[in-house]
Amino acid sequence: MDLQHLNEQQREAALHTEGPLLILAGAGSGKTQTMTHRIAYLIEQGVSPYEILAVTFTNKAAGEMRQRVEKLVGRCPGMWILTFHSMSLRILRENYEAAGYAKNFVVYDTVDQKALIKNILKEQNIDQKLYPIPYLLSIISKEKEADRGPEEYIELEGGLQGANIKSRTVYQVYREYQKQLKNNNAMDFDDLLRNAYHVLRDHDEILAAYQNRFAYIMVDEYQDTNHIQYQIISLLARARQNLCVVGDDDQCIYEWRGADIRNILDFEKDFPQAKVIKLEQNYRSTGNILAAAHSVIRNNRGRKQKKLWTEQEEGHKLVYARLENDKEEAAYVVRQIRLLEGAHRDYDDFAILYRTNAQSRLFEDALRRAGIPYQILSGFSFYERKETKDMISYMRLVVNPQDEMAFMRVINEPKRGIGEKTVDKLRALAHVRGQSLLALLGDEEVLAGLPAKAREPVREMVQAIELCASEAANLTIADIYDTLLARTGYMKALEDQHTTEADARVENLLDFRSFIYDFESEKKAAGEEATLAEFLEKVATDADADKYESESGKVTLMTLHSAKGLEFPVVFMPGMEDGLFPGHRSLDSEDRMEEERRLCYVGMTRAKERLFLTSAEYRVLYGQGNFTRESAFMRELDKSLLDANGDTVYTPKRRAAGSLGVDTGSMDGFARPAYKPYDPLRYAKQAVREKAAAGAAGDDGLEAGDSVQHSKFGRGLVLETDEKTVTVIFDSVGRKKLARGIAQLKKI
Ligand code: ATP
Ligand code: MG
């Protein structure tokens, strides 16, 4: 194994394969790189990839790590490189019975969770104003992170008798919430971790099997593990002690979500045999950037003292600009991108990292107007779109007809004339009969009881879902998606509105479609079969940073939180203002202030060559305009590292761009033709319409002897046909009987 391009400490870490190991090091010192080489080294020493478990923080980081390992040692099927959530999901899929669930359990995200709580509040006559949904969900989440169920919760609050009314109400909601999740064969995100932990803790034979399998366990970004994640890892590693954790106490940014920095600081206590290796050379950033980051983070108490050094040159100084208002700030950033891009940089060299999602819109507007391609990687914006959620619900019903939340979400989407009262009645009936809502509405008698105008649309919807479910094995995911889009009437309802908003939604739906295509073609390229269940899992577990693709030539916008572990040549950190960054709630708490400071450190150390900090004198946030004060972090930062022209209010009229320390060599950046995105919209719409037409016509004109092309199975020959089915013999998979009415066969 060629460990030549590791430095001495890194090499030592890669070679230390037996026994516990803590790599504690600052940003950009090659922690992730070392971990990757360590895995490759193990495999080269004859360890089976099957015996390796590597846990990272985002699916994106996991994918990258796998790629790097496979580049070094070739393909490694069976190796688990994944996030805590997807690892838990896998363990639960493999042991759903031990967890007390049925096979195709689903994962609820925030939107589902909210809907479920809302229902419960309604059923139990609890006032939402007194008990806001986000408040309840955050308590429930905190309790689960601390591994406390409803009973443990109320116990701690003084028992059912002793607790105050508020705690009793929370208890009541929490208990019902868990009950209904279970009834729906569903888990929320926190349940994934908690249930996986319980399965391992309570089932010796299951735990032993995993302990036996995973001879080598590694965890990246260990500083951000929470209590349960820690428990899972220590159970798995207990038997063999071959655990390597990698982290930086200065980058712990998830305390608010239960991350426990003590996990890293106490590692030596928990594993007394542990070897500790520190990495101190930074390979990512120039000297000035590194010094600036250090000048901020050194204000935190309670950190392990360490200072990074670099062999790199000092590089450009940092640029700080204070603009008149937030719009000017966005315009300024876009201007700098233009200038630097003119000086031979690619768009994907740039990242704009902000504190809150609410800041993204102005940058989006400014970039769009300038014709600069960009991508947003945080805030679940994509998945939280209503239309995406609706279609995901339809797909979930195909996989799991019992999914009541999904059903209630879409029964009247598009409008089918089913009111809330009807839904309540149907639900009650379904519960009495012990049927799923979908099965219930498959019953003609029940259908007949619906308002007349609702009958036909509901029948079509139920049929579309059932058709997709029964034919799932013969369809690509994209086929299923298109069929649902067309045959539930969803897309048509939007198109018929003829409003810009509805058009935008249609666009989003088709955007989602290309996302599905990407997923399937990736799987296909890897020689794997892509199933709908798997796709839905991906959708449910995708962390925000996952949509990031570096080859796409786009400016990246994301929150500071999701930028963890990534690096970019040029980084912008806008909104350096008290109340925004650090946030309001942090200003009066030293602990929170320290967490924000670590976040600032994370942001600054993402930059390789250039770092721009900006603030606005006047900012509108959530509809409120305010004059601002510069961030405390700007006051802490070593001013000698700033470009001499920084620190003043900049307006295009008053100052020349060149005075800000920007390469002005090639001003022709301004003259570039506007970026015109390729627009495949029209074709996609057409394809979906064809699916609808096939369903309506019911007859595809196929006869025995026809040669056909199938979206999943490729070329084939029609053997026989009848009213409902077409039998085809395919070159690839042999004989198949396919349902008619879904346009997956084309005559050739
Ligand atoms: P973070 O704390 O941000 O997660 P990290 O410690 O995981 O950072 P890496 O992402 O592994 O750091 O490495 C940072 C950069 O330094 C990468 O571009 C990597 O390729 C490079 N690098 C790491 N080690 C070396 C080395 N020994 N020689 C040259 N380049 C290196
Ligand atoms: Mg890293």
Side-chain angles (χ1 to χ4, degrees), residues 372-396:
I372 296 177
Y374 67 89
Q375 57 186 343
I376 298 196
L377 295 178
S378 49
F380 296 92
S381 58
F382 175 70
Y383 294 118
E384 264 180 22
R385 288 179 195 149
K386 175 185 180 328
E387 54 279 10
T388 317
K389 296 291 312 170
D390 287 347
M391 288 314 294
I392 289 172
S393 294
Y394 275 119
M395 290 190 275
R396 272 173 24 183

PDB file of all heavy atoms in Angstrom, residues 372-396:
ATOM      1  N   ILE A 372     -25.837  33.315 -13.351  1.00  0.00           N
ATOM      2  CA  ILE A 372     -24.820  32.400 -12.822  1.00  0.00           C
ATOM      3  C   ILE A 372     -25.500  31.147 -12.263  1.00  0.00           C
ATOM      4  O   ILE A 372     -26.403  31.245 -11.443  1.00  0.00           O
ATOM      5  CB  ILE A 372     -24.018  33.088 -11.687  1.00  0.00           C
ATOM      6  CG1 ILE A 372     -23.254  34.289 -12.250  1.00  0.00           C
ATOM      7  CG2 ILE A 372     -23.048  32.106 -11.030  1.00  0.00           C
ATOM      8  CD1 ILE A 372     -22.485  35.084 -11.219  1.00  0.00           C
ATOM      9  N   PRO A 373     -25.091  29.981 -12.743  1.00  0.00           N
ATOM     10  CA  PRO A 373     -25.732  28.758 -12.242  1.00  0.00           C
ATOM     11  C   PRO A 373     -25.355  28.507 -10.778  1.00  0.00           C
ATOM     12  O   PRO A 373     -24.212  28.745 -10.385  1.00  0.00           O
ATOM     13  CB  PRO A 373     -25.170  27.658 -13.127  1.00  0.00           C
ATOM     14  CG  PRO A 373     -23.897  28.208 -13.675  1.00  0.00           C
ATOM     15  CD  PRO A 373     -24.035  29.695 -13.726  1.00  0.00           C
ATOM     16  N   TYR A 374     -26.311  28.034 -10.012  1.00  0.00           N
ATOM     17  CA  TYR A 374     -26.029  27.790  -8.605  1.00  0.00           C
ATOM     18  C   TYR A 374     -26.852  26.609  -8.136  1.00  0.00           C
ATOM     19  O   TYR A 374     -27.776  26.172  -8.805  1.00  0.00           O
ATOM     20  CB  TYR A 374     -26.376  29.021  -7.761  1.00  0.00           C
ATOM     21  CG  TYR A 374     -27.855  29.313  -7.733  1.00  0.00           C
ATOM     22  CD1 TYR A 374     -28.681  28.742  -6.755  1.00  0.00           C
ATOM     23  CD2 TYR A 374     -28.434  30.130  -8.686  1.00  0.00           C
ATOM     24  CE1 TYR A 374     -30.035  28.976  -6.736  1.00  0.00           C
ATOM     25  CE2 TYR A 374     -29.797  30.380  -8.676  1.00  0.00           C
ATOM     26  CZ  TYR A 374     -30.591  29.792  -7.704  1.00  0.00           C
ATOM     27  OH  TYR A 374     -31.942  30.022  -7.702  1.00  0.00           O
ATOM     28  N   GLN A 375     -26.504  26.104  -6.976  1.00  0.00           N
ATOM     29  CA  GLN A 375     -27.304  25.041  -6.372  1.00  0.00           C
ATOM     30  C   GLN A 375     -27.390  25.276  -4.869  1.00  0.00           C
ATOM     31  O   GLN A 375     -26.443  25.749  -4.262  1.00  0.00           O
ATOM     32  CB  GLN A 375     -26.688  23.673  -6.651  1.00  0.00           C
ATOM     33  CG  GLN A 375     -25.258  23.567  -6.156  1.00  0.00           C
ATOM     34  CD  GLN A 375     -24.624  22.261  -6.567  1.00  0.00           C
ATOM     35  OE1 GLN A 375     -25.317  21.320  -6.935  1.00  0.00           O
ATOM     36  NE2 GLN A 375     -23.313  22.192  -6.495  1.00  0.00           N
ATOM     37  N   ILE A 376     -28.547  24.952  -4.349  1.00  0.00           N
ATOM     38  CA  ILE A 376     -28.739  25.108  -2.909  1.00  0.00           C
ATOM     39  C   ILE A 376     -28.656  23.754  -2.252  1.00  0.00           C
ATOM     40  O   ILE A 376     -29.318  22.822  -2.677  1.00  0.00           O
ATOM     41  CB  ILE A 376     -30.115  25.702  -2.605  1.00  0.00           C
ATOM     42  CG1 ILE A 376     -30.194  27.071  -3.238  1.00  0.00           C
ATOM     43  CG2 ILE A 376     -30.339  25.797  -1.104  1.00  0.00           C
ATOM     44  CD1 ILE A 376     -31.307  27.893  -2.704  1.00  0.00           C
ATOM     45  N   LEU A 377     -27.868  23.656  -1.226  1.00  0.00           N
ATOM     46  CA  LEU A 377     -27.656  22.345  -0.649  1.00  0.00           C
ATOM     47  C   LEU A 377     -28.192  22.197   0.753  1.00  0.00           C
ATOM     48  O   LEU A 377     -27.883  21.255   1.440  1.00  0.00           O
ATOM     49  CB  LEU A 377     -26.163  22.059  -0.616  1.00  0.00           C
ATOM     50  CG  LEU A 377     -25.574  21.954  -1.987  1.00  0.00           C
ATOM     51  CD1 LEU A 377     -24.105  21.720  -1.913  1.00  0.00           C
ATOM     52  CD2 LEU A 377     -26.228  20.806  -2.721  1.00  0.00           C
ATOM     53  N   SER A 378     -28.944  23.152   1.214  1.00  0.00           N
ATOM     54  CA  SER A 378     -29.387  22.931   2.584  1.00  0.00           C
ATOM     55  C   SER A 378     -30.832  23.332   2.762  1.00  0.00           C
ATOM     56  O   SER A 378     -31.456  23.900   1.901  1.00  0.00           O
ATOM     57  CB  SER A 378     -28.502  23.671   3.555  1.00  0.00           C
ATOM     58  OG  SER A 378     -28.350  24.995   3.148  1.00  0.00           O
ATOM     59  N   GLY A 379     -31.340  23.005   3.926  1.00  0.00           N
ATOM     60  CA  GLY A 379     -32.700  23.411   4.248  1.00  0.00           C
ATOM     61  C   GLY A 379     -33.738  22.455   3.695  1.00  0.00           C
ATOM     62  O   GLY A 379     -34.916  22.758   3.740  1.00  0.00           O
ATOM     63  N   PHE A 380     -33.310  21.310   3.178  1.00  0.00           N
ATOM     64  CA  PHE A 380     -34.271  20.349   2.655  1.00  0.00           C
ATOM     65  C   PHE A 380     -35.229  21.003   1.678  1.00  0.00           C
ATOM     66  O   PHE A 380     -36.335  20.546   1.492  1.00  0.00           O
ATOM     67  CB  PHE A 380     -35.104  19.699   3.780  1.00  0.00           C
ATOM     68  CG  PHE A 380     -34.287  18.874   4.721  1.00  0.00           C
ATOM     69  CD1 PHE A 380     -33.759  19.424   5.862  1.00  0.00           C
ATOM     70  CD2 PHE A 380     -34.027  17.551   4.432  1.00  0.00           C
ATOM     71  CE1 PHE A 380     -32.977  18.666   6.716  1.00  0.00           C
ATOM     72  CE2 PHE A 380     -33.253  16.792   5.280  1.00  0.00           C
ATOM     73  CZ  PHE A 380     -32.730  17.350   6.421  1.00  0.00           C
ATOM     74  N   SER A 381     -34.807  22.135   1.075  1.00  0.00           N
ATOM     75  CA  SER A 381     -35.761  22.905   0.282  1.00  0.00           C
ATOM     76  C   SER A 381     -36.432  22.024  -0.780  1.00  0.00           C
ATOM     77  O   SER A 381     -37.621  22.100  -1.002  1.00  0.00           O
ATOM     78  CB  SER A 381     -35.063  24.084  -0.369  1.00  0.00           C
ATOM     79  OG  SER A 381     -34.007  23.613  -1.170  1.00  0.00           O
ATOM     80  N   PHE A 382     -35.638  21.176  -1.349  1.00  0.00           N
ATOM     81  CA  PHE A 382     -36.149  20.324  -2.411  1.00  0.00           C
ATOM     82  C   PHE A 382     -37.221  19.353  -1.900  1.00  0.00           C
ATOM     83  O   PHE A 382     -38.316  19.251  -2.426  1.00  0.00           O
ATOM     84  CB  PHE A 382     -34.961  19.566  -2.985  1.00  0.00           C
ATOM     85  CG  PHE A 382     -35.288  18.553  -4.011  1.00  0.00           C
ATOM     86  CD1 PHE A 382     -35.730  18.930  -5.265  1.00  0.00           C
ATOM     87  CD2 PHE A 382     -35.141  17.211  -3.729  1.00  0.00           C
ATOM     88  CE1 PHE A 382     -36.013  17.978  -6.221  1.00  0.00           C
ATOM     89  CE2 PHE A 382     -35.420  16.260  -4.681  1.00  0.00           C
ATOM     90  CZ  PHE A 382     -35.862  16.648  -5.931  1.00  0.00           C
ATOM     91  N   TYR A 383     -36.888  18.683  -0.826  1.00  0.00           N
ATOM     92  CA  TYR A 383     -37.814  17.677  -0.310  1.00  0.00           C
ATOM     93  C   TYR A 383     -39.002  18.296   0.412  1.00  0.00           C
ATOM     94  O   TYR A 383     -39.988  17.635   0.638  1.00  0.00           O
ATOM     95  CB  TYR A 383     -37.094  16.732   0.654  1.00  0.00           C
ATOM     96  CG  TYR A 383     -36.064  15.897  -0.024  1.00  0.00           C
ATOM     97  CD1 TYR A 383     -34.734  15.992   0.309  1.00  0.00           C
ATOM     98  CD2 TYR A 383     -36.435  15.016  -1.028  1.00  0.00           C
ATOM     99  CE1 TYR A 383     -33.779  15.227  -0.330  1.00  0.00           C
ATOM    100  CE2 TYR A 383     -35.502  14.256  -1.667  1.00  0.00           C
ATOM    101  CZ  TYR A 383     -34.165  14.357  -1.315  1.00  0.00           C
ATOM    102  OH  TYR A 383     -33.240  13.602  -1.943  1.00  0.00           O
ATOM    103  N   GLU A 384     -38.845  19.542   0.828  1.00  0.00           N
ATOM    104  CA  GLU A 384     -39.948  20.107   1.571  1.00  0.00           C
ATOM    105  C   GLU A 384     -40.976  20.784   0.680  1.00  0.00           C
ATOM    106  O   GLU A 384     -41.987  21.268   1.150  1.00  0.00           O
ATOM    107  CB  GLU A 384     -39.436  21.035   2.672  1.00  0.00           C
ATOM    108  CG  GLU A 384     -39.366  20.244   3.960  1.00  0.00           C
ATOM    109  CD  GLU A 384     -38.880  21.009   5.161  1.00  0.00           C
ATOM    110  OE1 GLU A 384     -38.971  22.241   5.159  1.00  0.00           O
ATOM    111  OE2 GLU A 384     -38.423  20.360   6.095  1.00  0.00           O
ATOM    112  N   ARG A 385     -40.689  20.808  -0.596  1.00  0.00           N
ATOM    113  CA  ARG A 385     -41.692  21.355  -1.502  1.00  0.00           C
ATOM    114  C   ARG A 385     -42.940  20.494  -1.413  1.00  0.00           C
ATOM    115  O   ARG A 385     -42.871  19.273  -1.404  1.00  0.00           O
ATOM    116  CB  ARG A 385     -41.180  21.297  -2.935  1.00  0.00           C
ATOM    117  CG  ARG A 385     -40.105  22.293  -3.218  1.00  0.00           C
ATOM    118  CD  ARG A 385     -39.702  22.082  -4.660  1.00  0.00           C
ATOM    119  NE  ARG A 385     -38.453  22.727  -4.940  1.00  0.00           N
ATOM    120  CZ  ARG A 385     -37.580  22.287  -5.839  1.00  0.00           C
ATOM    121  NH1 ARG A 385     -37.856  21.203  -6.543  1.00  0.00           N
ATOM    122  NH2 ARG A 385     -36.479  22.927  -6.039  1.00  0.00           N
ATOM    123  N   LYS A 386     -44.064  21.171  -1.420  1.00  0.00           N
ATOM    124  CA  LYS A 386     -45.330  20.464  -1.267  1.00  0.00           C
ATOM    125  C   LYS A 386     -45.495  19.379  -2.326  1.00  0.00           C
ATOM    126  O   LYS A 386     -45.864  18.246  -2.031  1.00  0.00           O
ATOM    127  CB  LYS A 386     -46.466  21.476  -1.366  1.00  0.00           C
ATOM    128  CG  LYS A 386     -47.822  20.828  -1.341  1.00  0.00           C
ATOM    129  CD  LYS A 386     -48.893  21.876  -1.569  1.00  0.00           C
ATOM    130  CE  LYS A 386     -50.278  21.268  -1.548  1.00  0.00           C
ATOM    131  NZ  LYS A 386     -50.383  19.919  -2.022  1.00  0.00           N
ATOM    132  N   GLU A 387     -45.231  19.738  -3.569  1.00  0.00           N
ATOM    133  CA  GLU A 387     -45.486  18.790  -4.650  1.00  0.00           C
ATOM    134  C   GLU A 387     -44.572  17.573  -4.558  1.00  0.00           C
ATOM    135  O   GLU A 387     -44.984  16.452  -4.833  1.00  0.00           O
ATOM    136  CB  GLU A 387     -45.376  19.477  -6.022  1.00  0.00           C
ATOM    137  CG  GLU A 387     -44.089  20.216  -6.300  1.00  0.00           C
ATOM    138  CD  GLU A 387     -44.057  21.603  -5.672  1.00  0.00           C
ATOM    139  OE1 GLU A 387     -44.941  21.924  -4.863  1.00  0.00           O
ATOM    140  OE2 GLU A 387     -43.114  22.364  -5.972  1.00  0.00           O
ATOM    141  N   THR A 388     -43.314  17.800  -4.148  1.00  0.00           N
ATOM    142  CA  THR A 388     -42.421  16.656  -3.984  1.00  0.00           C
ATOM    143  C   THR A 388     -42.970  15.731  -2.897  1.00  0.00           C
ATOM    144  O   THR A 388     -43.036  14.518  -3.056  1.00  0.00           O
ATOM    145  CB  THR A 388     -41.006  17.119  -3.560  1.00  0.00           C
ATOM    146  OG1 THR A 388     -40.645  18.260  -4.323  1.00  0.00           O
ATOM    147  CG2 THR A 388     -40.000  16.037  -3.764  1.00  0.00           C
ATOM    148  N   LYS A 389     -43.381  16.347  -1.801  1.00  0.00           N
ATOM    149  CA  LYS A 389     -43.917  15.567  -0.698  1.00  0.00           C
ATOM    150  C   LYS A 389     -45.156  14.775  -1.117  1.00  0.00           C
ATOM    151  O   LYS A 389     -45.336  13.625  -0.735  1.00  0.00           O
ATOM    152  CB  LYS A 389     -44.303  16.477   0.466  1.00  0.00           C
ATOM    153  CG  LYS A 389     -43.172  17.219   1.111  1.00  0.00           C
ATOM    154  CD  LYS A 389     -42.259  16.290   1.864  1.00  0.00           C
ATOM    155  CE  LYS A 389     -43.041  15.351   2.737  1.00  0.00           C
ATOM    156  NZ  LYS A 389     -42.170  14.311   3.273  1.00  0.00           N
ATOM    157  N   ASP A 390     -46.016  15.426  -1.868  1.00  0.00           N
ATOM    158  CA  ASP A 390     -47.220  14.730  -2.323  1.00  0.00           C
ATOM    159  C   ASP A 390     -46.860  13.498  -3.143  1.00  0.00           C
ATOM    160  O   ASP A 390     -47.384  12.406  -2.923  1.00  0.00           O
ATOM    161  CB  ASP A 390     -48.090  15.672  -3.168  1.00  0.00           C
ATOM    162  CG  ASP A 390     -48.799  16.725  -2.325  1.00  0.00           C
ATOM    163  OD1 ASP A 390     -48.820  16.564  -1.080  1.00  0.00           O
ATOM    164  OD2 ASP A 390     -49.312  17.702  -2.891  1.00  0.00           O
ATOM    165  N   MET A 391     -45.961  13.685  -4.095  1.00  0.00           N
ATOM    166  CA  MET A 391     -45.618  12.550  -4.946  1.00  0.00           C
ATOM    167  C   MET A 391     -44.888  11.455  -4.157  1.00  0.00           C
ATOM    168  O   MET A 391     -45.080  10.271  -4.408  1.00  0.00           O
ATOM    169  CB  MET A 391     -44.760  13.008  -6.140  1.00  0.00           C
ATOM    170  CG  MET A 391     -45.522  13.792  -7.184  1.00  0.00           C
ATOM    171  SD  MET A 391     -47.126  13.065  -7.649  1.00  0.00           S
ATOM    172  CE  MET A 391     -46.591  11.549  -8.432  1.00  0.00           C
ATOM    173  N   ILE A 392     -44.093  11.871  -3.198  1.00  0.00           N
ATOM    174  CA  ILE A 392     -43.435  10.869  -2.360  1.00  0.00           C
ATOM    175  C   ILE A 392     -44.494  10.058  -1.595  1.00  0.00           C
ATOM    176  O   ILE A 392     -44.392   8.844  -1.463  1.00  0.00           O
ATOM    177  CB  ILE A 392     -42.419  11.529  -1.395  1.00  0.00           C
ATOM    178  CG1 ILE A 392     -41.228  12.030  -2.186  1.00  0.00           C
ATOM    179  CG2 ILE A 392     -41.974  10.551  -0.324  1.00  0.00           C
ATOM    180  CD1 ILE A 392     -40.246  12.861  -1.391  1.00  0.00           C
ATOM    181  N   SER A 393     -45.542  10.749  -1.161  1.00  0.00           N
ATOM    182  CA  SER A 393     -46.613  10.030  -0.467  1.00  0.00           C
ATOM    183  C   SER A 393     -47.273   9.003  -1.377  1.00  0.00           C
ATOM    184  O   SER A 393     -47.553   7.883  -0.965  1.00  0.00           O
ATOM    185  CB  SER A 393     -47.669  11.015   0.043  1.00  0.00           C
ATOM    186  OG  SER A 393     -47.108  11.829   1.041  1.00  0.00           O
ATOM    187  N   TYR A 394     -47.522   9.406  -2.610  1.00  0.00           N
ATOM    188  CA  TYR A 394     -48.093   8.426  -3.551  1.00  0.00           C
ATOM    189  C   TYR A 394     -47.174   7.222  -3.696  1.00  0.00           C
ATOM    190  O   TYR A 394     -47.604   6.067  -3.686  1.00  0.00           O
ATOM    191  CB  TYR A 394     -48.305   9.074  -4.931  1.00  0.00           C
ATOM    192  CG  TYR A 394     -49.614   9.818  -5.060  1.00  0.00           C
ATOM    193  CD1 TYR A 394     -49.643  11.172  -5.329  1.00  0.00           C
ATOM    194  CD2 TYR A 394     -50.832   9.154  -4.908  1.00  0.00           C
ATOM    195  CE1 TYR A 394     -50.842  11.863  -5.445  1.00  0.00           C
ATOM    196  CE2 TYR A 394     -52.030   9.818  -5.017  1.00  0.00           C
ATOM    197  CZ  TYR A 394     -52.032  11.185  -5.286  1.00  0.00           C
ATOM    198  OH  TYR A 394     -53.217  11.843  -5.398  1.00  0.00           O
ATOM    199  N   MET A 395     -45.893   7.494  -3.828  1.00  0.00           N
ATOM    200  CA  MET A 395     -44.958   6.380  -4.003  1.00  0.00           C
ATOM    201  C   MET A 395     -44.891   5.514  -2.745  1.00  0.00           C
ATOM    202  O   MET A 395     -44.735   4.302  -2.822  1.00  0.00           O
ATOM    203  CB  MET A 395     -43.573   6.912  -4.384  1.00  0.00           C
ATOM    204  CG  MET A 395     -43.552   7.478  -5.789  1.00  0.00           C
ATOM    205  SD  MET A 395     -41.883   7.837  -6.383  1.00  0.00           S
ATOM    206  CE  MET A 395     -41.620   9.446  -5.710  1.00  0.00           C
ATOM    207  N   ARG A 396     -45.003   6.171  -1.610  1.00  0.00           N
ATOM    208  CA  ARG A 396     -44.989   5.398  -0.369  1.00  0.00           C
ATOM    209  C   ARG A 396     -46.168   4.448  -0.292  1.00  0.00           C
ATOM    210  O   ARG A 396     -46.058   3.328   0.207  1.00  0.00           O
ATOM    211  CB  ARG A 396     -44.990   6.339   0.835  1.00  0.00           C
ATOM    212  CG  ARG A 396     -43.582   6.718   1.201  1.00  0.00           C
ATOM    213  CD  ARG A 396     -43.437   7.741   2.252  1.00  0.00           C
ATOM    214  NE  ARG A 396     -44.512   7.900   3.184  1.00  0.00           N
ATOM    215  CZ  ARG A 396     -44.500   8.834   4.144  1.00  0.00           C
ATOM    216  NH1 ARG A 396     -43.459   9.636   4.258  1.00  0.00           N
ATOM    217  NH2 ARG A 396     -45.494   8.950   4.956  1.00  0.00           N
TER     218      ARG A 396
END
